[in-house]
Amino acid sequence: MYDLSGIHTSSKLMSVSAISKFDFALTIDGKPYGVQHSFDVLNPASEQIVASAPDADRPAVESAVAAAVRAAPAWAKVPVCERASRVRDFARRVEEQQEALSHLLVLEQGKPLASARSELLESLNYLRQLADLTESELQFSTTNDQSGTKVIRRPLGVVAGITAWNYPVQLACSKLAMAVLTGNATIIKPSPYTPLTTLALGQISRDAFPQGVVSVLSGQDPLGEKITAHPAISKIGFTGSSRTGCAIAKSTADSLKRLTLELGGNDAAIVLPDARIEETAKGLITSALENTGQLCNAVKRVFVHESMKQDLIDAMVSVTESLVIGDGMNEGTDLGPIQNRMQFEKLKALRESVLQERGTFHCGEQTLSGPGYFMAPAIISGLNDASRLVSEEQFGPLVPVLGFETPDEAMVRANASPFGLGGSVWTANVDKALELAEQFDAGSVWINHHSALSPEYPSGGFKLSGLGVEYGVHGLEEYTQHQVIRIAT
Ligand code: NAD
């Protein structure tokens, strides 16, 4: 169903108040910082300007780095329990602005208000759970009295977090938390498509952390390189495309910066013949169309046993056709627009490629008229593994379904991808699923569901899907470096 009818007056009022609540200035040294140039941020549901964001120039980068360099040594000495309590205080302040931030997130990102509210709740959960985890489980120092040896984990100094446009609040909150909990000062740079909520988080951070510990810089893509190439920054925590991840690896090679890269994926779901069709269809669509398919760990290829392929397609179509597409501010909306024109055009080209490669649309063949970057979700079969939609990361609501004869064959085909972010097995036989799960070349594997991540467990990708891990104790450790001190015995 396609519904773009007028949005609720209370949502309109809340949106106006959300925009007026924040200053949308850079945050540097705990203060707002003005720059000469700005750029417009568009609402992808209307293509109208929501607000403009500062385009940080070289002096702004230098000021943010200098403030972070000044702040880092003292912050590193702050006991971990106090750092954790500062992060909890930041979470409390974000919680106070939860509703305004949710509305702002809908306006700049396009997702439905209910999903924006969930993202805010999830972000608070990440802030608090990462604070608990750092306090209770990260060992900052161990001493062996007998050998006179002390092993400590030292912060890296100044670390930068660069984020994508699909989950801007959650990505900014988790990168901020991991950096500062481990004793680093941080500079966060959001995507130019969704800078407003991150600028608002920067404003909130001014009262929560000592000056210079958290800075937020918005700007166009070239700002990213000014940050990654900066010699005083020791680590980049990056979430975005594999192409940009590789560019960052190159630009940081000469200074040997530490890197954690969370990159693209082309997750396969393998559906065995004993899977329950209705539940599986629902679970696959929940993952594949979450955030209108703009989720790194969404199901992006469905491999199903030939014997049940048509039944599964029918069930997936039925779930898909029940979803309402529209402006995220509209209470009944399930799927918002594609977030930006660049991604919209890429998806339109992928739809064209399906027709050229003789794929079959089981639903979603129609094009939707604007304004706004709306696209009907499509279930597609008849493509081979080398087709564009199957071999590339679509990052949108186009779901290819492919048949297989044996699970081993499905696994080989699932793994024949340069990506290795996630995968899933759908079956009533959990033992068989566990056996297959360990054969996936992927950082996360789910059984009878797909996409769930949580702050207690490391998240990372194989192959072009990433380097290192974020979250969990292992993710936190990547924001520190070992030092061994030995006393002569
Ligand atoms: P992107 O790579 O285009 O941009 C990501 C960020 O990098 C933005 O802030 C951008 O301004 C910045 N950037 C661009 N060029 C840069 C450069 N040369 N140097 C430094 N920074 C630069 O990605 P996107 O389109 O914003 O996000 C979509 C991609 O992110 C998808 O591939 C998706 O799978 C991936 N993603 C991965 C995860 C994960 O956890 N693995 C999570 C979310 C998104």
Side-chain angles (χ1 to χ4, degrees), residues 24-26 35 37-41 52-58 60-61 162-163 187-196 198-199 216-227:
F24 301 134
L26 305 177
V35 286
H37 298 288
S38 62
F39 58 97
D40 292 333
V41 180
S52 58
D55 197 3
D57 48 16
R58 174 74 64 190
V61 175
I162 299 180
T163 60
I187 296 169
I188 306 285
K189 190 204 91 60
S191 162
Y193 293 113
T194 54
L196 301 177
T198 308
L199 289 165
V216 172
L217 298 179
S218 62
Q220 306 282 4
D221 286 346
L223 170 64
E225 213 179 332
K226 290 194 184 90
I227 293 173

mmCIF file of all heavy atoms in Angstrom, residues 24-26 35 37-41 52-58 60-61 162-163 187-196 198-199 216-227:
data_model
loop_
_atom_site.group_PDB
_atom_site.id
_atom_site.type_symbol
_atom_site.label_atom_id
_atom_site.label_comp_id
_atom_site.label_asym_id
_atom_site.label_seq_id
_atom_site.Cartn_x
_atom_site.Cartn_y
_atom_site.Cartn_z
ATOM 1 N N PHE A 24 22.698 23.384 15.869
ATOM 2 C CA PHE A 24 23.334 22.837 14.667
ATOM 3 C C PHE A 24 24.674 23.510 14.375
ATOM 4 O O PHE A 24 25.020 23.800 13.225
ATOM 5 C CB PHE A 24 22.417 22.919 13.434
ATOM 6 C CG PHE A 24 21.120 22.182 13.624
ATOM 7 C CD1 PHE A 24 19.918 22.754 13.266
ATOM 8 C CD2 PHE A 24 21.106 20.917 14.184
ATOM 9 C CE1 PHE A 24 18.720 22.079 13.456
ATOM 10 C CE2 PHE A 24 19.908 20.230 14.388
ATOM 11 C CZ PHE A 24 18.722 20.822 14.020
ATOM 12 N N ALA A 25 25.419 23.778 15.453
ATOM 13 C CA ALA A 25 26.780 24.296 15.293
ATOM 14 C C ALA A 25 27.752 23.125 15.516
ATOM 15 O O ALA A 25 27.383 22.106 16.106
ATOM 16 C CB ALA A 25 27.035 25.385 16.330
ATOM 17 N N LEU A 26 28.977 23.303 15.042
ATOM 18 C CA LEU A 26 30.018 22.329 15.383
ATOM 19 C C LEU A 26 30.241 22.392 16.888
ATOM 20 O O LEU A 26 30.010 23.439 17.510
ATOM 21 C CB LEU A 26 31.330 22.678 14.680
ATOM 22 C CG LEU A 26 31.298 22.828 13.159
ATOM 23 C CD1 LEU A 26 32.688 23.241 12.656
ATOM 24 C CD2 LEU A 26 30.836 21.554 12.484
ATOM 25 N N VAL A 35 31.621 28.433 11.477
ATOM 26 C CA VAL A 35 32.434 28.395 10.250
ATOM 27 C C VAL A 35 31.721 29.193 9.173
ATOM 28 O O VAL A 35 30.539 29.497 9.301
ATOM 29 C CB VAL A 35 32.693 26.945 9.746
ATOM 30 C CG1 VAL A 35 33.708 26.235 10.607
ATOM 31 C CG2 VAL A 35 31.400 26.154 9.647
ATOM 32 N N HIS A 37 31.095 28.414 5.865
ATOM 33 C CA HIS A 37 30.218 27.781 4.868
ATOM 34 C C HIS A 37 29.298 26.746 5.506
ATOM 35 O O HIS A 37 29.625 26.161 6.543
ATOM 36 C CB HIS A 37 31.062 27.116 3.772
ATOM 37 C CG HIS A 37 31.900 28.114 3.027
ATOM 38 N ND1 HIS A 37 31.352 29.022 2.138
ATOM 39 C CD2 HIS A 37 33.226 28.374 3.071
ATOM 40 C CE1 HIS A 37 32.319 29.795 1.661
ATOM 41 N NE2 HIS A 37 33.468 29.431 2.214
ATOM 42 N N SER A 38 28.167 26.544 4.825
ATOM 43 C CA SER A 38 27.244 25.521 5.307
ATOM 44 C C SER A 38 26.659 24.786 4.097
ATOM 45 O O SER A 38 26.867 25.202 2.952
ATOM 46 C CB SER A 38 26.134 26.163 6.132
ATOM 47 O OG SER A 38 25.401 27.039 5.307
ATOM 48 N N PHE A 39 25.964 23.700 4.359
ATOM 49 C CA PHE A 39 25.307 22.968 3.258
ATOM 50 C C PHE A 39 23.918 22.561 3.729
ATOM 51 O O PHE A 39 23.665 22.426 4.933
ATOM 52 C CB PHE A 39 26.150 21.747 2.832
ATOM 53 C CG PHE A 39 26.420 20.760 3.929
ATOM 54 C CD1 PHE A 39 25.624 19.621 4.077
ATOM 55 C CD2 PHE A 39 27.459 20.959 4.835
ATOM 56 C CE1 PHE A 39 25.866 18.710 5.092
ATOM 57 C CE2 PHE A 39 27.716 20.052 5.850
ATOM 58 C CZ PHE A 39 26.921 18.927 5.982
ATOM 59 N N ASP A 40 23.023 22.377 2.755
ATOM 60 C CA ASP A 40 21.635 22.064 3.093
ATOM 61 C C ASP A 40 21.449 20.572 3.354
ATOM 62 O O ASP A 40 22.052 19.738 2.686
ATOM 63 C CB ASP A 40 20.709 22.477 1.943
ATOM 64 C CG ASP A 40 20.654 24.001 1.799
ATOM 65 O OD1 ASP A 40 20.877 24.689 2.820
ATOM 66 O OD2 ASP A 40 20.407 24.475 0.671
ATOM 67 N N VAL A 41 20.584 20.298 4.321
ATOM 68 C CA VAL A 41 20.222 18.903 4.612
ATOM 69 C C VAL A 41 18.773 18.721 4.165
ATOM 70 O O VAL A 41 17.888 19.467 4.585
ATOM 71 C CB VAL A 41 20.363 18.611 6.122
ATOM 72 C CG1 VAL A 41 19.989 17.166 6.425
ATOM 73 C CG2 VAL A 41 21.777 18.929 6.590
ATOM 74 N N SER A 52 20.324 23.844 7.617
ATOM 75 C CA SER A 52 21.661 23.736 7.019
ATOM 76 C C SER A 52 22.659 23.372 8.116
ATOM 77 O O SER A 52 22.430 23.632 9.302
ATOM 78 C CB SER A 52 22.040 25.011 6.283
ATOM 79 O OG SER A 52 21.997 26.078 7.172
ATOM 80 N N ALA A 53 23.727 22.725 7.673
ATOM 81 C CA ALA A 53 24.741 22.236 8.616
ATOM 82 C C ALA A 53 26.080 22.872 8.284
ATOM 83 O O ALA A 53 26.367 23.129 7.109
ATOM 84 C CB ALA A 53 24.845 20.722 8.507
ATOM 85 N N PRO A 54 26.913 23.118 9.297
ATOM 86 C CA PRO A 54 28.218 23.734 9.019
ATOM 87 C C PRO A 54 29.142 22.804 8.242
ATOM 88 O O PRO A 54 29.165 21.604 8.499
ATOM 89 C CB PRO A 54 28.790 24.004 10.420
ATOM 90 C CG PRO A 54 27.893 23.350 11.396
ATOM 91 C CD PRO A 54 26.653 22.894 10.708
ATOM 92 N N ASP A 55 29.870 23.415 7.295
ATOM 93 C CA ASP A 55 30.842 22.653 6.502
ATOM 94 C C ASP A 55 32.220 22.946 7.101
ATOM 95 O O ASP A 55 32.842 23.972 6.787
ATOM 96 C CB ASP A 55 30.751 23.114 5.032
ATOM 97 C CG ASP A 55 31.408 22.132 4.089
ATOM 98 O OD1 ASP A 55 31.884 21.077 4.566
ATOM 99 O OD2 ASP A 55 31.440 22.421 2.875
ATOM 100 N N ALA A 56 32.674 22.072 7.968
ATOM 101 C CA ALA A 56 33.913 22.330 8.721
ATOM 102 C C ALA A 56 35.101 22.487 7.774
ATOM 103 O O ALA A 56 35.313 21.661 6.890
ATOM 104 C CB ALA A 56 34.164 21.188 9.704
ATOM 105 N N ASP A 57 35.858 23.557 7.973
ATOM 106 C CA ASP A 57 37.024 23.821 7.128
ATOM 107 C C ASP A 57 38.299 23.377 7.866
ATOM 108 O O ASP A 57 38.242 22.866 8.987
ATOM 109 C CB ASP A 57 37.083 25.316 6.753
ATOM 110 C CG ASP A 57 36.880 26.199 7.985
ATOM 111 O OD1 ASP A 57 37.007 25.677 9.124
ATOM 112 O OD2 ASP A 57 36.597 27.406 7.826
ATOM 113 N N ARG A 58 39.423 23.616 7.222
ATOM 114 C CA ARG A 58 40.718 23.195 7.813
ATOM 115 C C ARG A 58 40.933 23.780 9.220
ATOM 116 O O ARG A 58 41.281 23.046 10.149
ATOM 117 C CB ARG A 58 41.854 23.561 6.842
ATOM 118 C CG ARG A 58 43.245 23.339 7.352
ATOM 119 C CD ARG A 58 43.669 21.882 7.403
ATOM 120 N NE ARG A 58 43.729 21.266 6.102
ATOM 121 C CZ ARG A 58 43.880 19.949 5.914
ATOM 122 N NH1 ARG A 58 43.987 19.140 6.953
ATOM 123 N NH2 ARG A 58 43.924 19.437 4.707
ATOM 124 N N ALA A 60 38.791 24.575 11.422
ATOM 125 C CA ALA A 60 37.902 23.883 12.376
ATOM 126 C C ALA A 60 38.483 22.518 12.739
ATOM 127 O O ALA A 60 38.481 22.115 13.915
ATOM 128 C CB ALA A 60 36.509 23.723 11.778
ATOM 129 N N VAL A 61 39.018 21.817 11.734
ATOM 130 C CA VAL A 61 39.628 20.506 12.010
ATOM 131 C C VAL A 61 40.814 20.683 12.955
ATOM 132 O O VAL A 61 40.951 19.961 13.952
ATOM 133 C CB VAL A 61 40.087 19.820 10.687
ATOM 134 C CG1 VAL A 61 40.837 18.527 10.979
ATOM 135 C CG2 VAL A 61 38.892 19.560 9.775
ATOM 136 N N ILE A 162 33.868 8.046 12.230
ATOM 137 C CA ILE A 162 33.235 8.521 10.986
ATOM 138 C C ILE A 162 32.057 7.595 10.693
ATOM 139 O O ILE A 162 32.225 6.370 10.676
ATOM 140 C CB ILE A 162 34.259 8.520 9.821
ATOM 141 C CG1 ILE A 162 35.419 9.459 10.162
ATOM 142 C CG2 ILE A 162 33.603 8.918 8.507
ATOM 143 C CD1 ILE A 162 36.498 9.557 9.091
ATOM 144 N N THR A 163 30.872 8.182 10.487
ATOM 145 C CA THR A 163 29.669 7.342 10.458
ATOM 146 C C THR A 163 28.876 7.459 9.147
ATOM 147 O O THR A 163 29.031 8.408 8.389
ATOM 148 C CB THR A 163 28.744 7.705 11.639
ATOM 149 O OG1 THR A 163 28.369 9.073 11.513
ATOM 150 C CG2 THR A 163 29.421 7.484 12.975
ATOM 151 N N ILE A 187 36.700 12.742 18.097
ATOM 152 C CA ILE A 187 36.075 13.671 17.139
ATOM 153 C C ILE A 187 35.132 12.826 16.298
ATOM 154 O O ILE A 187 35.546 11.827 15.699
ATOM 155 C CB ILE A 187 37.146 14.324 16.234
ATOM 156 C CG1 ILE A 187 38.085 15.177 17.096
ATOM 157 C CG2 ILE A 187 36.497 15.169 15.133
ATOM 158 C CD1 ILE A 187 39.331 15.652 16.382
ATOM 159 N N ILE A 188 33.850 13.209 16.283
ATOM 160 C CA ILE A 188 32.868 12.423 15.536
ATOM 161 C C ILE A 188 32.477 13.193 14.275
ATOM 162 O O ILE A 188 32.164 14.387 14.343
ATOM 163 C CB ILE A 188 31.581 12.176 16.380
ATOM 164 C CG1 ILE A 188 31.926 11.548 17.738
ATOM 165 C CG2 ILE A 188 30.569 11.337 15.612
ATOM 166 C CD1 ILE A 188 32.308 10.105 17.719
ATOM 167 N N LYS A 189 32.486 12.494 13.152
ATOM 168 C CA LYS A 189 32.058 13.107 11.884
ATOM 169 C C LYS A 189 30.909 12.301 11.283
ATOM 170 O O LYS A 189 31.084 11.175 10.858
ATOM 171 C CB LYS A 189 33.211 13.139 10.867
ATOM 172 C CG LYS A 189 32.843 13.976 9.657
ATOM 173 C CD LYS A 189 33.614 13.633 8.407
ATOM 174 C CE LYS A 189 32.983 12.593 7.538
ATOM 175 N NZ LYS A 189 31.644 12.910 7.007
ATOM 176 N N PRO A 190 29.705 12.893 11.232
ATOM 177 C CA PRO A 190 28.567 12.182 10.632
ATOM 178 C C PRO A 190 28.588 12.279 9.107
ATOM 179 O O PRO A 190 29.350 13.064 8.533
ATOM 180 C CB PRO A 190 27.364 12.949 11.186
ATOM 181 C CG PRO A 190 27.868 14.353 11.374
ATOM 182 C CD PRO A 190 29.330 14.227 11.743
ATOM 183 N N SER A 191 27.718 11.520 8.478
ATOM 184 C CA SER A 191 27.553 11.621 7.022
ATOM 185 C C SER A 191 26.959 12.981 6.671
ATOM 186 O O SER A 191 26.104 13.498 7.396
ATOM 187 C CB SER A 191 26.595 10.520 6.549
ATOM 188 O OG SER A 191 26.106 10.827 5.268
ATOM 189 N N PRO A 192 27.358 13.567 5.536
ATOM 190 C CA PRO A 192 26.760 14.848 5.142
ATOM 191 C C PRO A 192 25.259 14.726 4.848
ATOM 192 O O PRO A 192 24.560 15.734 4.800
ATOM 193 C CB PRO A 192 27.528 15.236 3.876
ATOM 194 C CG PRO A 192 28.283 14.031 3.454
ATOM 195 C CD PRO A 192 28.432 13.134 4.631
ATOM 196 N N TYR A 193 24.758 13.512 4.651
ATOM 197 C CA TYR A 193 23.313 13.356 4.416
ATOM 198 C C TYR A 193 22.510 13.443 5.718
ATOM 199 O O TYR A 193 21.335 13.763 5.696
ATOM 200 C CB TYR A 193 23.020 12.005 3.743
ATOM 201 C CG TYR A 193 23.561 11.909 2.340
ATOM 202 C CD1 TYR A 193 24.592 11.031 2.020
ATOM 203 C CD2 TYR A 193 23.032 12.701 1.323
ATOM 204 C CE1 TYR A 193 25.090 10.938 0.733
ATOM 205 C CE2 TYR A 193 23.530 12.617 0.031
ATOM 206 C CZ TYR A 193 24.557 11.729 -0.263
ATOM 207 O OH TYR A 193 25.034 11.654 -1.538
ATOM 208 N N THR A 194 23.122 13.106 6.835
ATOM 209 C CA THR A 194 22.390 13.068 8.117
ATOM 210 C C THR A 194 23.216 13.667 9.266
ATOM 211 O O THR A 194 23.484 12.992 10.264
ATOM 212 C CB THR A 194 22.036 11.608 8.483
ATOM 213 O OG1 THR A 194 23.254 10.839 8.457
ATOM 214 C CG2 THR A 194 21.007 11.001 7.569
ATOM 215 N N PRO A 195 23.632 14.934 9.140
ATOM 216 C CA PRO A 195 24.506 15.481 10.191
ATOM 217 C C PRO A 195 23.752 16.044 11.397
ATOM 218 O O PRO A 195 24.344 16.250 12.456
ATOM 219 C CB PRO A 195 25.220 16.623 9.460
ATOM 220 C CG PRO A 195 24.209 17.097 8.461
ATOM 221 C CD PRO A 195 23.425 15.876 8.029
ATOM 222 N N LEU A 196 22.437 16.310 11.243
ATOM 223 C CA LEU A 196 21.757 17.147 12.242
ATOM 224 C C LEU A 196 21.650 16.486 13.609
ATOM 225 O O LEU A 196 21.899 17.124 14.640
ATOM 226 C CB LEU A 196 20.365 17.556 11.725
ATOM 227 C CG LEU A 196 20.377 18.350 10.405
ATOM 228 C CD1 LEU A 196 18.951 18.631 9.936
ATOM 229 C CD2 LEU A 196 21.154 19.652 10.548
ATOM 230 N N THR A 198 23.566 14.239 14.840
ATOM 231 C CA THR A 198 24.900 14.128 15.456
ATOM 232 C C THR A 198 25.359 15.495 15.977
ATOM 233 O O THR A 198 25.976 15.583 17.049
ATOM 234 C CB THR A 198 25.918 13.533 14.458
ATOM 235 O OG1 THR A 198 25.371 12.328 13.945
ATOM 236 C CG2 THR A 198 27.252 13.241 15.122
ATOM 237 N N LEU A 199 25.038 16.574 15.226
ATOM 238 C CA LEU A 199 25.360 17.916 15.740
ATOM 239 C C LEU A 199 24.604 18.161 17.042
ATOM 240 O O LEU A 199 25.143 18.742 17.995
ATOM 241 C CB LEU A 199 24.995 18.984 14.700
ATOM 242 C CG LEU A 199 25.898 19.018 13.458
ATOM 243 C CD1 LEU A 199 25.251 19.839 12.340
ATOM 244 C CD2 LEU A 199 27.290 19.588 13.782
ATOM 245 N N VAL A 216 32.380 17.450 17.594
ATOM 246 C CA VAL A 216 31.600 16.977 16.444
ATOM 247 C C VAL A 216 31.836 17.928 15.283
ATOM 248 O O VAL A 216 31.653 19.140 15.405
ATOM 249 C CB VAL A 216 30.092 16.896 16.780
ATOM 250 C CG1 VAL A 216 29.271 16.604 15.530
ATOM 251 C CG2 VAL A 216 29.827 15.822 17.836
ATOM 252 N N LEU A 217 32.250 17.348 14.151
ATOM 253 C CA LEU A 217 32.508 18.129 12.940
ATOM 254 C C LEU A 217 31.631 17.610 11.821
ATOM 255 O O LEU A 217 31.714 16.421 11.478
ATOM 256 C CB LEU A 217 33.971 17.960 12.500
ATOM 257 C CG LEU A 217 35.085 18.427 13.443
ATOM 258 C CD1 LEU A 217 36.449 18.142 12.796
ATOM 259 C CD2 LEU A 217 34.947 19.929 13.726
ATOM 260 N N SER A 218 30.784 18.474 11.248
ATOM 261 C CA SER A 218 30.039 18.050 10.068
ATOM 262 C C SER A 218 30.666 18.683 8.845
ATOM 263 O O SER A 218 31.324 19.729 8.940
ATOM 264 C CB SER A 218 28.572 18.462 10.178
ATOM 265 O OG SER A 218 28.454 19.875 10.242
ATOM 266 N N GLY A 219 30.458 18.048 7.701
ATOM 267 C CA GLY A 219 31.004 18.602 6.459
ATOM 268 C C GLY A 219 30.802 17.622 5.329
ATOM 269 O O GLY A 219 30.319 16.514 5.543
ATOM 270 N N GLN A 220 31.159 18.046 4.146
ATOM 271 C CA GLN A 220 31.034 17.170 2.980
ATOM 272 C C GLN A 220 32.123 16.095 3.023
ATOM 273 O O GLN A 220 33.045 16.174 3.836
ATOM 274 C CB GLN A 220 31.177 18.006 1.701
ATOM 275 C CG GLN A 220 30.231 19.187 1.633
ATOM 276 C CD GLN A 220 28.800 18.776 1.248
ATOM 277 O OE1 GLN A 220 28.493 17.595 1.101
ATOM 278 N NE2 GLN A 220 27.920 19.745 1.098
ATOM 279 N N ASP A 221 32.025 15.107 2.107
ATOM 280 C CA ASP A 221 32.957 13.968 2.146
ATOM 281 C C ASP A 221 34.443 14.335 2.285
ATOM 282 O O ASP A 221 35.165 13.659 3.024
ATOM 283 C CB ASP A 221 32.758 13.080 0.909
ATOM 284 C CG ASP A 221 31.472 12.252 1.018
ATOM 285 O OD1 ASP A 221 30.903 12.178 2.128
ATOM 286 O OD2 ASP A 221 31.042 11.704 -0.006
ATOM 287 N N PRO A 222 34.953 15.396 1.597
ATOM 288 C CA PRO A 222 36.397 15.700 1.724
ATOM 289 C C PRO A 222 36.837 15.956 3.174
ATOM 290 O O PRO A 222 38.010 15.781 3.508
ATOM 291 C CB PRO A 222 36.572 16.964 0.879
ATOM 292 C CG PRO A 222 35.470 16.896 -0.128
ATOM 293 C CD PRO A 222 34.307 16.252 0.575
ATOM 294 N N LEU A 223 35.904 16.331 4.042
ATOM 295 C CA LEU A 223 36.267 16.501 5.459
ATOM 296 C C LEU A 223 36.792 15.184 6.028
ATOM 297 O O LEU A 223 37.715 15.169 6.858
ATOM 298 C CB LEU A 223 35.036 16.979 6.250
ATOM 299 C CG LEU A 223 35.154 16.986 7.771
ATOM 300 C CD1 LEU A 223 36.230 17.969 8.243
ATOM 301 C CD2 LEU A 223 33.801 17.347 8.421
ATOM 302 N N GLY A 224 36.205 14.069 5.570
ATOM 303 C CA GLY A 224 36.628 12.751 6.060
ATOM 304 C C GLY A 224 38.125 12.562 5.874
ATOM 305 O O GLY A 224 38.833 12.138 6.786
ATOM 306 N N GLU A 225 38.608 12.926 4.686
ATOM 307 C CA GLU A 225 40.026 12.715 4.411
ATOM 308 C C GLU A 225 40.912 13.652 5.229
ATOM 309 O O GLU A 225 42.031 13.272 5.614
ATOM 310 C CB GLU A 225 40.297 12.870 2.923
ATOM 311 C CG GLU A 225 41.409 11.930 2.531
ATOM 312 C CD GLU A 225 41.747 11.990 1.063
ATOM 313 O OE1 GLU A 225 40.869 12.323 0.248
ATOM 314 O OE2 GLU A 225 42.929 11.711 0.765
ATOM 315 N N LYS A 226 40.406 14.865 5.501
ATOM 316 C CA LYS A 226 41.201 15.779 6.350
ATOM 317 C C LYS A 226 41.393 15.133 7.726
ATOM 318 O O LYS A 226 42.423 15.288 8.371
ATOM 319 C CB LYS A 226 40.486 17.127 6.525
ATOM 320 C CG LYS A 226 40.435 17.972 5.258
ATOM 321 C CD LYS A 226 40.018 19.402 5.601
ATOM 322 C CE LYS A 226 39.869 20.254 4.356
ATOM 323 N NZ LYS A 226 38.536 20.263 3.745
ATOM 324 N N ILE A 227 40.379 14.410 8.177
ATOM 325 C CA ILE A 227 40.465 13.761 9.491
ATOM 326 C C ILE A 227 41.354 12.520 9.418
ATOM 327 O O ILE A 227 42.259 12.341 10.236
ATOM 328 C CB ILE A 227 39.039 13.394 9.988
ATOM 329 C CG1 ILE A 227 38.251 14.679 10.280
ATOM 330 C CG2 ILE A 227 39.092 12.494 11.215
ATOM 331 C CD1 ILE A 227 36.789 14.478 10.620
#
